[in-house]
Amino acid sequence: RPVSAYGKATQPGPQVISNRPNYILVNSAGNYSFAYESGSLAQYVSGSLIQSTDAGPVRLDINPVAWASSGGAAGDVTFVYTGDVG
């Protein structure tokens, strides 16, 4: 079986266009927005406000191509691919 059949998780930095995940995990407190289209017309839509770092990772069953957050950094959001993806 090809490696892509087993799934993976990545932690792209903010505003980095990625393949659409099966779902995402928000790992850090903050106000997050997500883009669902790539290119110059990409618009970020507010989608999550995590107020406490004690909340732990929060799963969102959404499929964005990028994320943004004021002061956000790689590792704040995890893109999870469940298998047979790019």
Side-chain angles (χ1 to χ4, degrees):
R1 293 181 60 146
V3 171
S4 64
Y6 298 101
K8 64 181 179 180
T10 64
Q11 294 182 319
Q15 299 181 339
V16 174
I17 301 298
S18 301
N19 290 329
R20 290 184 190 280
N22 294 95
Y23 63 91
I24 66 164
L25 299 172
V26 178
N27 303 316
S28 301
N31 190 358
Y32 294 87
S33 298
F34 302 95
Y36 296 91
E37 300 295 330
S38 61
S40 62
L41 298 179
Q43 295 182 9
Y44 286 80
V45 178
S46 180
S48 183
L49 171 61
I50 308 298
Q51 295 181 333
S52 171
T53 56
D54 296 330
V58 175
R59 178 180 168 150
L60 297 177
D61 289 321
I62 59 176
N63 313 102
V65 295
W67 66 276
S69 179
S70 178
D76 289 348
V77 174
T78 301
F79 281 32
V80 180
Y81 304 90
T82 58
D84 294 323
V85 295

